[in-house]
Amino acid sequence: MKLNVNLPTPYDIVIEKGALAKAGDWVATLWQPQKIAIITDNRVGSLYAETVKLSLENAGFEAIVFDFLEGEASKNLKTVNKAYEFLVKHEMTRSDGIVALGGGVVGDLAGFVASTYMRGIHFLQIPTSLTAQVDSSIGGKTGVNTSFAKNMVGTFTQPDGVLIDPETLQTLGKRELIEGMGEVIKYGLIDDVELWEELSAMDGSPESILAHAESIIYRSCNVKRKVVVEDELDNGVRLYLNFGHTIGHAIEATAGYGKVMHGEAVAIGMVQISRVAEKKGLMPQGITQAIENMCQKFGLPTDYQPWQVDELYNALKHDKKARGHMIKTVIVPELGRAAINQIPLEEMKAYLEK
């Protein structure tokens, strides 16, 4: 299966079981022979780096591997600097490239390194987690966390291509697999009623996620593709993709990066903002309960303790969607449709109240 992201510099999203072992042939259709740095984390690297490295070498590339300690806590400028040092040590030039091999943390960090090293070298995404396959590998957002906010430092830089092998999901832990469903559920809610119906028909088990993997990845990627093509730089409809994220990112930051996983935080954020929006008459009765039921069916949390309103609000003030004293939040007035709700930043406190 293939989807085209039709931007000024277009690229394809390829979804194919067993594609990882043929990564070199895919890269050869996109790049001239060159040196390639595979950026990954220690866990994914131990599983897949050698397979991809050998495939690249068999296709005529020189491949090297840089890995770092897995987890959101590593997605920072300290790790970025180590990557720069590695690239310099191996004499990487502007005609060389980077392959991001891993989950969302790897993709965000590797993309940021590629977009800033020597003012930018090209890169490819090979996402191995469900969250990365359905969301973060597509659209060109790169970034790292600071002590102030998640993804505060980053760039918009599109990859030259995205290669998705659904079979990599089989090596995810149960929590890591389930976490990705937070983003999948979001896509059904904001733009794809048929995806929502497919999720409704599933029993919520990890086995059902794996059985439906190709379909839910394709549908989620298609929603992301459409939105990114319409609004590459996140000024309009791309904000719809942030449903649940405004509160979710604040949860991630205040809990300590890695304590609450991204998809888990998104699930909590979707339920919380919908509950308050429903009370304010911005969403019809019943949608919040439907969202909560769907999240719980797949094993996602819908609450988090301790819930510290002041701490969450302080984290929210650094959100990238804040403009002056206003912030744009996303609501779902009906299943399959999102809307922007711009409010004074101060009013976000009300959206954090239980």
Side-chain angles (χ1 to χ4, degrees):
M1 293 187 285
K2 185 183 291 188
L3 289 163
N4 181 255
V5 184
N6 190 25
L7 291 166
T9 304
Y11 61 93
D12 288 332
I13 304 164
V14 177
I15 306 166
E16 181 185 338
K17 284 186 176 180
L20 211 65
K22 300 178 285 186
D25 294 336
W26 172 68
V27 176
T29 67
L30 301 169
W31 290 353
Q32 296 296 315
Q34 61 192 264
K35 188 180 294 181
I36 296 176
I38 300 166
I39 295 184
T40 187
D41 65 36
N42 60 309
R43 184 179 183 277
V44 175
S46 68
L47 291 167
Y48 300 122
E50 191 62 23
T51 297
V52 174
K53 183 173 183 289
L54 286 173
S55 182
L56 289 169
E57 289 170 344
N58 289 337
F61 297 98
E62 180 184 348
I64 53 178
V65 179
F66 171 81
D67 69 2
F68 59 89
L69 185 65
E70 69 171 314
E72 192 79 31
S74 292
K75 200 175 90 169
N76 54 45
L77 290 170
K78 185 176 179 180
T79 308
V80 168
N81 197 54
K82 289 180 181 177
Y84 291 151
E85 290 174 357
F86 177 85
L87 299 181
V88 171
K89 177 184 175 183
H90 288 274
E91 300 180 340
M92 293 282 287
T93 70
R94 292 194 72 185
S95 61
D96 297 321
I98 286 174
V99 168
L101 175 67
V105 168
V106 169
D108 283 0
L109 186 138
F112 181 74
V113 169
S115 69
T116 52
Y117 180 73
M118 293 189 171
R119 293 198 177 96
I121 62 176
H122 48 280
F123 77 107
L124 295 164
Q125 290 271 15
I126 304 182
T128 59
S129 72
L130 184 56
T131 301
Q133 290 178 352
V134 301
D135 186 67
S136 59
S137 65
I138 304 150
K141 281 188 178 180
T142 77
V144 292
N145 304 327
T146 71
S147 58
F148 302 104
K150 182 178 168 72
N151 294 332
M152 178 173 263
V153 178
T155 64
F156 284 96
T157 309
Q158 300 296 336
D160 290 337
V162 182
L163 183 67
I164 298 173
D165 184 346
E167 290 185 352
T168 62
L169 300 181
Q170 295 176 13
T171 55
L172 290 179
K174 182 180 178 181
R175 184 183 177 192
E176 286 73 20
L177 179 66
I178 290 170
E179 179 240 346
M181 293 305 294
E183 292 286 3
V184 175
I185 291 167
K186 176 200 76 177
Y187 282 117
L189 284 165
I190 67 170
D191 194 74
D192 191 340
V193 173
E194 288 185 16
L195 173 57
W196 180 264
E197 290 171 350
E198 180 175 356
L199 297 176
S200 298
M202 293 164 62
D203 65 16
S205 66
E207 292 76 18
S208 72
I209 297 171
L210 293 173
H212 287 256
E214 283 181 281
S215 174
I216 62 177
I217 291 169
Y218 180 87
R219 284 193 166 280
S220 298
C221 286
N222 192 41
V223 175
K224 179 92 181 246
R225 176 196 66 81
K226 290 188 298 182
V227 172
V228 167
V229 167
E230 188 172 345
D231 177 23
E232 181 181 4
L233 300 181
D234 210 9
N235 294 313
V237 296
R238 187 164 178 169
L239 290 171
Y240 294 165
L241 300 174
N242 289 313
F243 180 49
H245 286 58
T246 302
I247 293 173
H249 282 171
I251 292 169
E252 288 183 81
T254 56
Y257 293 121
K259 298 289 179 61
V260 180
M261 298 185 75
H262 177 67
E264 296 171 341
V266 168
I268 297 167
M270 289 191 297
V271 170
Q272 176 65 21
I273 202 161
S274 298
R275 182 181 293 127
V276 179
E278 204 172 288
K279 287 178 182 176
K280 290 177 175 288
L282 299 171
M283 290 171 54
Q285 296 291 315
I287 288 188
T288 302
Q289 191 61 56
I291 296 170
E292 188 168 9
N293 291 346
M294 185 70 81
C295 289
Q296 290 176 343
K297 181 174 81 168
F298 283 98
L300 287 161
T302 55
D303 199 3
Y304 168 72
Q305 296 298 331
W307 189 265
Q308 307 280 3
V309 173
D310 288 340
E311 285 187 19
L312 289 167
Y313 178 69
N314 284 332
L316 266 171
K317 288 192 290 188
H318 298 290
D319 192 282
K320 297 181 295 302
K321 293 172 288 299
R323 300 288 189 273
H325 297 294
M326 304 296 289
I327 189 167
K328 292 180 178 179
T329 62
V330 184
I331 58 174
V332 177
E334 61 181 296
L335 292 177
R337 184 171 72 87
I340 302 294
N341 180 38
Q342 181 166 288
I343 59 174
L345 190 58
E346 180 73 21
E347 196 176 316
M348 273 306 299
K349 282 186 177 178
Y351 282 86
L352 294 170
E353 295 293 343
K354 289 291 188 181

